[in-house]
Amino acid sequence: PRRMQHVMSNSPHELTKQRRSSLILSQNRLKSNLVSNKQDEVRKNSVNIQMLSQSLYEQVFKTKPDSEHNVISADDIISHLSKFELWGKETTINDDVDVKLPRLQGKDISEHFYKIGFEQTEEFMSRAGDFIAQAIPEKPQKWNFKPGWTRYNKDGSMSLVPHPDEEIMVFDVEVLVPEGNFPTMATALTPNHWYSWCSERLVSERYRWVKDTSLSDLIPLETANNQTVPPSGEWKSRLVIGHNVGYDRSFVKEQYFIKGPKTRFLDTMSLHIAVSGFTSLQRILKAGIAKESQRKEVKAAELRNKSIKDAQWLLEGSMNNLSDVYALHCKEGALDKETRNIFVTGNMKDIRDNFQMLMNYCASDTHATYKVFKGLWPDFRERFPHPVTLAGMLEMGSAYLPLNYSWQKYTTESEATYVDLQRQLRLMLMKIADDACLMIEDEQYKEDVWMWDADWSVKRAKMKIKPKLSAKRQREELKKLEEAGDSEEERVKRVLETASRLPKNISHKPNFPIWYADLCPRLKDDDWSPGPTKISTQTRITPKLLQLTWEGFPLHYDDDLGWGYLVPAPPLGEYGTPEDHQEQEFNVLIDESDAGPKFPIEALKAMCDSLMPEKESFPPAGPDPRLLLNEDIHMDDVNKCMRIYWQNKKKPKKDKIKKTDANLSVPTYHKGIGPYTQVIPGVHFFKLPHKDGDNNNVGNPLAKDFLAKLEDGTLSTVAGGEAFRALELSKMCSYWRNSRKRILSQMTIWMKESELSSNIVKSRDYDVNGMYGAIVPRIVTAGTVTRRAVEPTWLTASNAYTDRVGSELKAAVQAPPGYHFVGADVDSQELWIAAIMGDSYFARQHGSTAFGWMTLQGNKTEGTDLHSKTAAMMGISRDQAKVVNYARIYGAGRLFAQRLLRRLNHQLTEDEVRGKVNFMFNSTKGRIKFKYDDKEKEFYKREKSWEGGSESHMFNKLEMIAESDQPATPVLGCRISRTLEPSAVDTDFMTSRVNWVVQSSAVDYLHLMLVSMRWLFQQFNIDGRFCISIHDEVRYLVKSEDRYRAALALQITNLWTRSMFAHSLGMSDLPQSVAFFSAVDIDKCLRKEVHQDCKTPSNPHGLEQGYGLPSGEALDIYKILKLTNSSLTKSRQPNKSDLKAKCAGLKTQDRVLEAKDHDLEINDDEFDTKSGDFETKDGGTEPNKGDEETRNDNIVDLNQDISEIFEELESQVR
Amino acid sequence: PLGTILRQNIIKQWWKSVCVSQDNVFPVENTLIDTLTMKKKRKNSQQKQISLDTLQHYSSVYNMVQGQLPFGIATVKTDFGTDVTQKETNKVLYNSPQYASMLLYYFVHPRNEKISFDFWKRHRIQWWKSFADNPSNFTMGQVRKEEDYTQLDILYSFPWGDDTIETLRNYNEGFQPGAKMTKTVKKKRSRKLAGVEEDPNATIATIPHMFETNAVLERAVLAYLLDACNDTNGKRISKRRKNDETLLLNLHRKLAPYTVALSTPERPNQHIQEVTRQLVQELRKAEISVLSTHDPRPIEEQYERYSGMGIPLCLTLHEGTLDNGLLYMRHRNTKIKEEIHVTKVCEYLLKFLAAD
């Protein structure tokens, strides 16, 4: 019954009536918490948290939800909060905010959003409905080979038109990839006509030298050639539908105008992903089944569920490419995709020669997209009933990034710096190699624990042997010599003549050790340069030259096991069994018969002794460490068996596999992947950990995956100085190395003065000599099952780091003259969403759960915020605690936390680790409690719930939603992908599903904001547009004079959005602390924080000096209200000097705020790294630019949702 | 003598990078008189910072390129006093009363000002780094905004800290000597304001925008010498090999006073000397700088001496050479004696010098 109650409470209209009285706390108790008079004036709720001011409260919550409060009594709340030492703590009080809000549309906030969302999508929805209901025109038999648009009339005739003049269309662009970012042909299908478009370049056979795409190369959808306004002078609203339409949109001319077009783009791929997309884990599994893959995820799933091939979810979804989506939603055969290859590998002539066929192919795609849309649209409408969802997706699809000269400067500087650093790196490695060469003297290398097994043999220069002459010839020669005389000239000549005896292939670097010679190019190579110039961080020998260590042990490469490190075996007899002795002695015997180089064991031992000051604490005092290990061995057994199984399976021929044996004398002072005892006798080999699991071999310890290890010192070098610098250089280059291709291939359109908006040209700051342009990012508006937008470059853009070349990427996007970016980060968005769900579940009262209270009122100085509490609990830093907290909330389990803690703190024993993690989990998530239903014993139908922790209520609520028959977000009622519905997956993919609740609600949050902002901009004539949203931040591009009003609009939007959440969860009030953004950033570029100077190796002078870009403004609600006179309406005579004075006055406050911001912001750096990890994941298989279909799948791979990372991590630990 | 060669090699590389490999950069020379008179004049002039003696060539160069932008004027000249450096004391070569400037004035269309200045910034710092053994010691200083120009320094980390070795200046719009020195300017460039269309057909002479790059040769010599020393004593301490302390000057092969040195055998052998002479002649003909002096010391000591001079390669002819033509080419940095045939040496060295 309780469960029912909450399912129903999802909708504010269906709230069950409950007793109200119990929750109203006695006034006396409240009074006892009052501290000052100021507190008397503000509204507070029963747990002493400041609520909205009376005025705002009345404006937002006009009508209370038709409900009364929960059954939880006040005493229960108090006892819960007291348990976590939160009850009675002082709460922060802010000044009340009083502002006259625009009147809500409808009777309450919920209706308001429904109405404005409806308003923004009404036209499109009805057009879309009509489009799929009516018959479509026949596809033309023959296509017109003329530049520009051709319309195919009903009577079979064709007419050239400037652009299709219709309200709705399906649209598909084809691009000849080798030519660069130029659209080649396109087709459009509307309710009335077919259209085709050919590029000038295709039809006229001129070769174009210009590499840059200009506006005139793009496809016009609304304006005539060389025009920047539509023929009628008025922009019309249109809907363009396409599969991955963000890609097609980037080839549409008008989309590069900062202002004007009302065309919206609807992506069938996003519709598909929302309705029936796979999670990335599911995609791996699906691909695995197809290929009988051996990937560990597939195997793990098979272990759990033998019949994965028959899983229902496989039938409910498909991959994201058009062909598969078509097959799923249209139940028809696959599309022909072979033809596409011409666009990928062909040239213009190929296109011309196959014009009819290719245009037909393009039209077939358009047609298929139409059919997909027809199939998907009703499903989408049913599963995403709230108009805000569609409106939000359309808005996301209108992203726009303005550029100026800074972009060019950024790309050039980054590339130049990168090349320079690569050179420095190579130089440094070369020096280290030179230095190592010196060890050849006296064979010193034999005592070097790294270089001992390099090939130190040398080749001598070879000459052909003097031809043996017969005695007669010899005599003749001698005679000749005598005749010629023994002049200096002759003698020298004879020496020079030995050249004839040079062999055809002169030996390479004679007298150099082979390993060194291998690094030197051959003299005949074109790019020959002296020295070992072929050395790089990729070469096999480099880690050894750098004298790398892992936790102090030297690295070693094994042909079968990849990179690992060497640990001295424990002294015989100390821990080992007699059998071990035999084995080891046996090994030594083998070694003696082996002619290969011998490992300098003594040197290693000496090194370990000197390097490990903490050695004395190993083995640690206390219980025999082996006892602890044994416990673990049990846990890891499966893993190890799997490993052996895999090794045997992979290399069935090799039976000399260096197997690991858990019972063998494990060095007690070291724990790792291994040991493998037969790699080198007397020494244990441990593998370096691979991110894809222990079964994988590490190919290069200098790869990006190990950067973090380098940073925390796990991976290090004893060579010091230069070697360390080399690692640093490699690290500095890493970001640009991984991103340069993507960034440099961004399609940038530079505009002529005549093509620019008058807003820009008329601006005071306009520079006639400047460069102005834009990027239209190719966003997939709902790219994951959580409906998060996906795009590989911008939505994963990292923040600027001082030691990463090119990481100032975002700051290179700069507002044109006359415009400002106005934007904000939603403060701790996901924590708050999770918290409010818990609060609503528990007592329908903000801050009633300990987790909720900490999120709303937690205070760093008092140690009452979530991160501080966890940090104290686990004995880690607050930043590290953030990782732990997010991980837990995203669904990571105890094993993950243990692993993390072990990594963060080497000093802890296994017992301590487990103890701390258990304590942390018990006090946060709580303990699970099963309720068995006696009547249905045979099914073991159970009802589980979490109890006793600060987050138990939250998890109960999330799991309740995730496990309901039709999981849907509580705010906008968005259903989960069909592939994750309980009917399709039963109890599988729980982490993904629980996480989906929060993530998908966060997307609801974003969509609500986008819709509200659009509405406010329209209502109050604010001249601006959506720019981009990255994670939980939104940015608008606003005409400078409107920027403060836009900032106020953003604040109001936040208030409304949060209120909408509260309202939808049955709470008719909102805490003041979350009502407004702590700061709205008004800035000229995109950056994390307005005062950030984004200094990086490629931007050594920072933004201010290097780019002439001053700090932006960060304004809180109070300042914004002052600057706007608390009004969204444009003041008739903006008094600029007055404004300036106000700004000046605020400057000092600014600094205070800045400090405050720092505390408030949720530092997502950890997650940036994570998204970075994905980059590498697919870094090797950089999606082919033109290969649209594969790319679509790849894009999504780049951005798994966070839950899946943890799922993956966890599955490894399991 | 070695210092002079190093100086000349640096100048050679500077000319190559600034003048030879750029479009329309022309060398000029000043007489001492010019310099002195201009210096006097300058005392009264506002343009204290500018080298007027060099800029007096502006109009001839301007005519030479027919007014086409961009163009440049380059010179290496002796200067006096402490104009460029503020009174530096206690620093070697820094307080010298006389010094040589490697100076470039570059003129661009105002439209290309940013792009072009960014180019020169990169170009100059890369030049410094390209001959460095430890390029990271050459860095770009902070931007300084002065009244007439924006200045950027290229710095080297000297033992006493970062110090300027070259200054780059981007002169402000209002401070363009080109405007005063040539009378080609008809009207002031006016900023295009909203609504005020300029007549596109009117020929408006553009005032070229001026940059200056000014490197001090003495400091370059000092910086590269310090850079080439593995540690402050010029001793190489191998991290791998114990007890290896060799005198080593790790000069870039293009700056090294000699590309190659010839060792002399411990016991003189007439035949070997003959072949040596022949080889040296061949190398000289190919314009490869060779050091071939008699040194009676043991061969290892000779090697060490040449390493200390910064000579990257050393050739040793020996008895075996007479038999099969193979000689040793000893590498400064690895100490390894590569074998090479006497007829291949010249080809190798030419490649060695040509490589980037």
Side-chain angles (χ1 to χ4, degrees), chain A residues 822-954:
Chain A
V822 176
D825 290 16
V826 183
D827 309 303
S828 22
Q829 189 191 44
E830 279 155 19
L831 283 189
W832 181 75
I833 290 173
I836 193 177
M837 288 191 188
D839 286 345
S840 79
Y841 179 91
F842 180 46
R844 213 158 284 172
Q845 183 76 220
H846 294 285
S848 56
T849 64
F851 177 55
W853 200 95
M854 286 189 281
T855 309
L856 293 172
Q857 277 298 332
N859 183 317
K860 245 207 284 194
T861 49
E862 287 201 49
T864 53
D865 74 314
L866 181 63
H867 302 314
S868 306
K869 282 230 159 189
T870 307
M873 231 184 277
M874 293 180 74
I876 51 180
S877 80
R878 192 172 173 276
D879 279 339
Q880 291 167 336
K882 277 185 194 170
V883 182
V884 175
N885 286 335
Y886 276 105
R888 190 180 59 247
I889 289 156
Y890 291 147
R894 289 169 198 235
L895 291 173
F896 173 80
Q898 282 175 18
R899 232 170 67 137
L900 197 67
L901 185 59
R902 216 176 283 132
R903 211 184 66 196
L904 296 176
N905 191 344
H906 290 284
Q907 307 297 322
L908 294 177
T909 66
E910 281 303 304
D911 251 2
E912 286 169 328
V913 167
R914 217 165 301 127
K916 276 173 187 276
V917 166
N918 283 341
F919 178 65
M920 191 263 292
F921 263 82
N922 289 342
S923 55
T924 53
K925 196 164 183 172
R927 290 168 199 276
I928 200 160
K929 200 171 164 190
F930 294 101
K931 293 176 195 158
Y932 291 94
D933 193 334
D934 285 341
K935 283 171 203 159
E936 293 176 82
K937 235 175 194 165
E938 56 267 54
F939 296 108
Y940 282 101
K941 190 175 174 186
R942 66 192 191 188
E943 191 149 314
K944 65 171 186 181
S945 69
W946 300 93
E947 279 185 13
S950 57
E951 293 162 12
S952 298
H953 306 100
M954 185 263 286

Side-chain angles (χ1 to χ4, degrees), chain A residues 405 408-409 412-413 416-417 420-421 423-424 426-428 431-442 444 447-448 450-451 459-463 466 486-489 491-492 494-502 506-513 516 522-526 528-531 544-547 719-722 725 753 761-769 771 1095 1100-1101 1104-1106, chain B residues 109-119 121-122 125-126 129-138 140-145 152-153 189-195 197 227 230 236-242 244 246 250 252-253 270-271 273-279 282 321-326 328-329 331-344 347-348 350-356:
Chain A
Y405 168 66
Q408 190 181 335
K409 176 167 172 161
T412 331
E413 293 283 344
T417 312
D420 180 46
L421 291 179
R423 232 193 101 249
Q424 280 186 38
R426 199 181 64 184
L427 199 67
M428 211 159 263
K431 278 165 74 175
I432 292 167
D434 280 354
D435 198 37
C437 240
L438 300 174
M439 287 194 293
I440 199 164
E441 208 171 308
D442 313 329
Q444 290 185 17
E447 287 307 307
D448 189 283
W450 291 274
M451 294 300 290
K459 265 191 238 151
R460 297 297 305 262
K462 276 188 207 121
M463 297 295 278
K466 260 189 228 167
D486 196 25
S487 69
E488 179 181 340
E489 222 170 287
R491 284 194 299 268
V492 172
R494 273 205 300 281
V495 174
L496 297 184
E497 271 170 1
T498 54
S500 62
R501 280 160 55 204
L502 277 171
I506 297 173
S507 31
H508 177 54
K509 297 297 263 181
N511 284 3
F512 274 97
Y516 185 92
R522 298 197 167 248
L523 203 55
K524 58 175 185 262
D525 293 350
D526 289 338
W528 183 86
S529 189
K544 292 209 157 203
L545 282 172
L546 289 174
Q547 297 174 284
E722 286 173 350
R725 178 82 187 136
E753 189 171 292
V761 180
K762 281 184 184 163
S763 160
R764 198 187 281 247
D765 301 326
Y766 178 69
D767 177 0
V768 201
N769 296 323
M771 292 169 74
K1095 276 190 185 156
H1101 302 308
E1104 183 134 25
Q1105 293 202 327
Chain B
H109 193 284
R111 177 176 56 232
N112 299 323
E113 175 223 323
K114 276 185 194 154
I115 297 176
S116 186
F117 192 61
D118 285 342
F119 165 82
K121 265 191 327 212
R122 273 196 304 276
I125 184 89
Q126 273 166 12
K129 287 185 175 194
S130 62
F131 305 107
D133 192 42
N134 301 289
S136 52
N137 285 337
F138 293 83
M140 205 55 125
Q142 288 303 308
V143 181
R144 288 216 314 267
K145 282 215 158 57
L152 259 174
D153 290 348
R189 210 165 61 88
S190 61
R191 227 174 49 77
K192 189 181 160 189
L193 291 167
E197 283 293 323
D227 173 68
N230 267 42
R236 171 198 190 104
I237 297 161
S238 170
K239 275 151 204 128
R240 284 322 253 265
R241 209 173 162 279
K242 283 141 211 142
D244 183 62
T246 326
N250 212 353
H252 191 271
R253 57 186 181 278
Q270 191 202 345
H271 294 193
Q273 278 172 4
E274 285 163 13
V275 181
T276 306
R277 265 202 298 279
Q278 163 72 28
L279 177 62
E282 188 196 354
T321 315
L322 298 176
D323 187 41
N324 58 14
L326 292 175
Y328 290 131
M329 180 164 65
H331 293 255
R332 178 183 65 193
N333 293 5
T334 53
K335 292 184 171 184
I336 283 179
K337 298 193 276 278
E338 188 177 354
E339 286 182 303
I340 186 165
H341 194 266
V342 65
T343 53
K344 298 279 174 192
E347 180 194 338
Y348 178 88
L350 285 174
K351 272 197 143 186
F352 181 74
L353 280 175
D356 278 334

Side-chain angles (χ1 to χ4, degrees), chain B residues 187-207:
Chain B
K187 75 178 198 188
K188 271 210 159 180
R189 210 165 61 88
S190 61
R191 227 174 49 77
K192 189 181 160 189
L193 291 167
V196 187
E197 283 293 323
E198 282 176 8
D199 181 2
N201 297 322
T203 50
I204 302 154
T206 334
I207 304 174

